[in-house]
Amino acid sequence: MKQFKIGNYTFDSPTCLAPMAGVCNIAFRVMARKYGAGLVYSEFVNATAISRENEYAIKMMRTAPEERPVSIQLFGSEIADIKKATQLLQDKTDIVDFNFGCPSHQVTCTGAGAALLNQPEKVREIVSAMVSVSEKPVTVKMRIGMNENNITVLKLAKAVESAGAAAVAVHGRTLEQQYSGVANWNIIRQVKEAMNIPVIGNGDVINEFKAKEMFDATGVDAVMVGRAACGNPFIFSRINHYLQTGKQLPQKDTIDLFFEYVDLWEKYEGLKFTNLKIQASYFTKGIPNAAPLRIALGKVASVGEMKETLLKFQL
Ligand SMILES: Cc1cc2nc3c(=O)[nH]c(=O)nc-3n(C[C@H](O)[C@H](O)[C@H](O)COP(=O)(O)O)c2cc1C
């Protein structure tokens, strides 16, 4: 396996859990690290909310010793807020990441996320401001551009490198594509070839074979897995095993994995019950004959009921 480093951190494996809102809370990240992700990212947190010390945003900044090294991802567009949030994160995280990729209208209409993809000067300013107050490595995650006629990632990646970013993760889709079509790995390869800092490739790594394919096709330093890790943090063990041996590791039972998630969800108190229900639907997706279980899980109103339902269907 490739050695994957950012700043002074050397990671156990060249695989990353992608930042995903509503998914990558502390419990899920701990699980992804346990099953082999070298680096885990948080769901994105609003820099302005952190800078105002909003209670919920502060809760989202929690990390656990067993998941470290961990990266907390910020989004926003107000430089003063982004700077303050970066400062407030210093004793909480190992890496501070910034989002230049969210395509959601709620985010882009504030000038944040993927709306920044055609503003190289602002992108440089944001990263410089973060680097100026951070002792921890500052990294970024970006899409490749606004649309296929406006691919800006090469210019932006160079801008963030010169502003002091320690690594860049590239999701090979445009803002216009949202999550449709295929990720453009060719552009990811071009970014890798142009950069002196580590490049993490993202988009369409759905299994161990695709992970190997992405390494071979792009030369990236690490691969980042998003949707395929939802409901299956064990995917990182499978990828690592395949990269090391060329052989497939049998899949662990996803209901067993979900029991583990429920225990972690309870351990890290204060997570929303709605999150547990969303995760239940991820962990039970694709299981043969799971329809009755999924319907029953949709109706539970407490953790106790959730466990009882799982046990009933596992027998
Ligand atoms: C439910 C969901 C939430 C996401 N939230 C974030 C986020 O908070 N920050 C971010 O940079 N990307 C976010 N993404 C994008 C993923 O990190 C990733 O770039 C994208 O899913 C492509 O990778 P994949 O093909 O492996 O899924 C999200 C994606 C999904 C499906």
Side-chain angles (χ1 to χ4, degrees):
M1 273 200 301
K2 267 194 164 186
Q3 204 186 45
F4 170 42
K5 292 172 84 166
I6 296 178
N8 291 327
Y9 299 109
T10 302
F11 304 101
D12 301 338
S13 86
T15 55
C16 307
L17 171 68
M20 286 183 285
V23 179
C24 300
N25 59 24
I26 187 168
F28 193 75
R29 297 192 309 260
V30 165
M31 227 177 142
R33 279 283 290 141
K34 174 183 166 189
Y35 286 113
L39 173 62
V40 289
Y41 286 64
S42 72
E43 33 195 338
F44 67 176
V45 196
N46 186 328
T48 298
I50 294 181
S51 73
R52 293 181 186 158
E53 303 193 32
N54 166 282
E55 198 183 328
Y56 186 64
I58 300 291
K59 213 185 253 176
M60 287 173 84
M61 290 160 53
R62 271 192 308 169
T63 55
E66 54 274 41
E67 64 172 318
R68 301 187 83 153
V70 57
S71 174
I72 302 265
Q73 187 187 62
L74 295 175
F75 75 97
S77 63
E78 294 299 327
I79 298 208
D81 295 348
I82 295 168
K83 214 167 160 176
K84 182 158 180 216
T86 305
Q87 281 169 320
L88 290 171
L89 275 176
Q90 291 301 301
D91 61 346
K92 312 250 185 271
T93 187
D94 302 299
I95 292 174
V96 190
D97 188 68
F98 194 82
N99 178 302
F100 293 111
C102 180
S104 144
H105 179 68
Q106 269 178 316
V107 170
T108 54
C109 72
T110 66
L116 292 159
L117 288 171
N118 61 0
Q119 296 185 55
E121 263 325 300
K122 178 110 188 234
V123 165
R124 189 199 306 272
E125 245 183 281
I126 289 173
V127 175
S128 292
M130 292 173 74
V131 169
S132 73
V133 293
S134 186
E135 286 183 6
K136 305 292 169 77
V138 170
T139 62
V140 307
K141 176 167 176 278
M142 48 181 58
R143 284 182 180 244
I144 57 176
M146 305 298 279
N147 55 53
E148 63 180 319
N149 301 314
N150 191 2
I151 301 293
T152 50
V153 67
L154 276 159
K155 193 172 174 183
L156 295 180
K158 277 287 172 198
V160 300
E161 180 173 35
S162 69
V168 53
V170 181
H171 175 195
R173 285 189 177 78
T174 61
L175 161 64
E176 195 174 279
Q177 274 181 294
Q178 302 257 335
Y179 291 93
S180 67
V182 288
N184 188 329
W185 289 7
N186 191 26
I187 291 177
I188 296 177
R189 180 179 51 76
Q190 289 173 32
V191 176
K192 171 60 196 165
E193 284 169 359
M195 305 294 285
N196 296 309
I197 54 174
V199 175
I200 301 159
N202 173 234
D204 299 345
V205 175
I206 51 165
N207 54 35
E208 52 273 64
F209 311 116
K210 283 284 173 189
K212 171 89 168 62
E213 255 179 61
M214 181 182 262
F215 277 118
D216 293 345
T218 65
V220 287
D221 299 273
V223 296
M224 175 183 272
V225 184
R227 289 165 293 180
C230 295
N232 188 19
F234 189 73
I235 191 169
F236 296 103
S237 295
R238 293 180 57 154
I239 293 175
N240 292 341
H241 187 79
Y242 187 70
L243 293 176
Q244 276 169 330
T245 66
K247 296 198 171 84
Q248 262 188 290
L249 188 66
Q251 174 63 40
K252 201 172 157 78
D253 182 273
T254 50
I255 302 272
D256 286 344
L257 288 169
F258 186 53
F259 268 115
E260 245 185 85
Y261 180 77
V262 177
D263 286 344
L264 288 166
W265 183 93
E266 282 186 301
K267 177 175 169 185
Y268 299 107
E269 291 166 8
L271 299 171
K272 290 182 177 164
F273 188 64
T274 46
N275 168 266
L276 202 53
K277 294 190 83 165
I278 293 167
Q279 297 278 7
S281 77
Y282 281 131
F283 276 86
T284 53
K285 195 171 161 194
I287 297 178
N289 308 318
L293 168 63
R294 286 165 65 82
I295 291 167
L297 287 174
K299 290 181 184 156
V300 301
S302 68
V303 185
E305 274 182 39
M306 183 160 280
K307 285 183 171 171
E308 271 170 37
T309 308
L310 285 168
L311 277 173
K312 203 161 77 194
F313 277 87
Q314 229 190 7
L315 290 175

